Amino acid sequence: MKIDLTINQTPHSFEVEPRTLLVDLLRDTCHLTGTHVGCDTSQCGCCTVLKDGVSIKSCTTLAAQADSCAITTIEGLAQGELHPVQVAFAQCHALQCGFCTPGMIMSSVDLLQKNPNPSDEEIMEALEGNLCRCTGYVNIVAAVRQAAQQMQKRVGAPS
Ligand code: FES
Ligand code: FES
């Protein structure tokens, strides 16, 4: 079947099998290997991407379900400069092996779009579908908190 997707702001058309998973299209066809595969069963979150701005797990999403949608992967998040969430993860040492990091960042971006000033509890709740095998959760929450503060400063909102 033919599908049309915008991936990281670039339009694409693909011929895919109905069973093709979005993560396989991204990694194998588009070579966007920043989207990782950990569990393949929607539990670890390392395959998280944004579909029309909302975080989804691409390991359990068919490519056909993204037809006519805009997909953002970790590679497309930086626009000229790193996204504030990416900067905060680096500054707060919120990554160790880095395997979970792209998914953590994409889920965090989704959270901050919906809730620009989350509490630590809200951050932890939003990231409960993302697992870090290095158990770096304290620094991950600190990074999301710092990113929220930086993004609020950018738009001139009170911190
Ligand atoms: Fe998709 Fe684990 S690989 S949730
Ligand atoms: Fe290693 Fe999270 S940094 S899995």
Side-chain angles (χ1 to χ4, degrees):
M1 59 191 298
K2 179 175 177 292
I3 59 171
D4 299 306
L5 279 72
T6 299
I7 301 175
N8 297 336
Q9 303 189 324
T10 302
H12 296 273
S13 294
F14 301 100
E15 288 286 341
V16 298
E17 293 185 39
R19 64 181 179 178
T20 301
L21 293 168
L22 179 59
V23 71
D24 293 333
L25 180 74
L26 293 172
R27 287 179 55 86
D28 299 340
T29 304
C30 302
H31 307 295
L32 294 169
T33 53
T35 301
H36 293 159
V37 180
C39 66
D40 248 343
T41 51
S42 227
Q43 295 178 66
C44 75
C46 69
C47 64
T48 304
V49 299
L50 302 182
K51 177 185 163 198
D52 289 340
V54 177
S55 64
I56 59 159
K57 291 177 175 173
S58 61
C59 73
T60 45
T61 301
L62 295 170
Q65 291 175 293
D67 187 22
S68 304
C69 295
I71 299 296
T72 305
T73 71
I74 190 71
E75 291 90 346
L77 198 56
Q79 295 296 319
E81 58 184 15
L82 290 177
H83 188 281
V85 176
Q86 293 175 302
V87 173
F89 266 65
Q91 291 182 342
C92 295
H93 307 290
L95 58 151
Q96 295 177 65
C97 78
F99 195 79
C100 72
T101 308
M104 287 284 185
I105 289 175
M106 301 312 283
S107 294
S108 300
V109 169
D110 183 23
L111 165 66
L112 296 179
Q113 286 173 169
K114 294 173 184 158
N115 179 1
N117 189 23
S119 65
D120 285 1
E121 289 71 25
E122 289 169 329
I123 295 170
M124 287 187 268
E125 188 177 329
L127 296 180
E128 68 182 3
N130 293 78
L131 304 180
C132 176
R133 67 190 72 187
C134 302
T135 66
Y137 295 108
V138 170
N139 289 8
I140 288 169
V141 172
V144 178
R145 196 187 316 123
Q146 176 176 303
Q149 291 165 352
Q150 290 301 319
M151 291 168 74
Q152 286 203 315
K153 279 185 198 167
R154 278 191 180 190
V155 296
S159 57

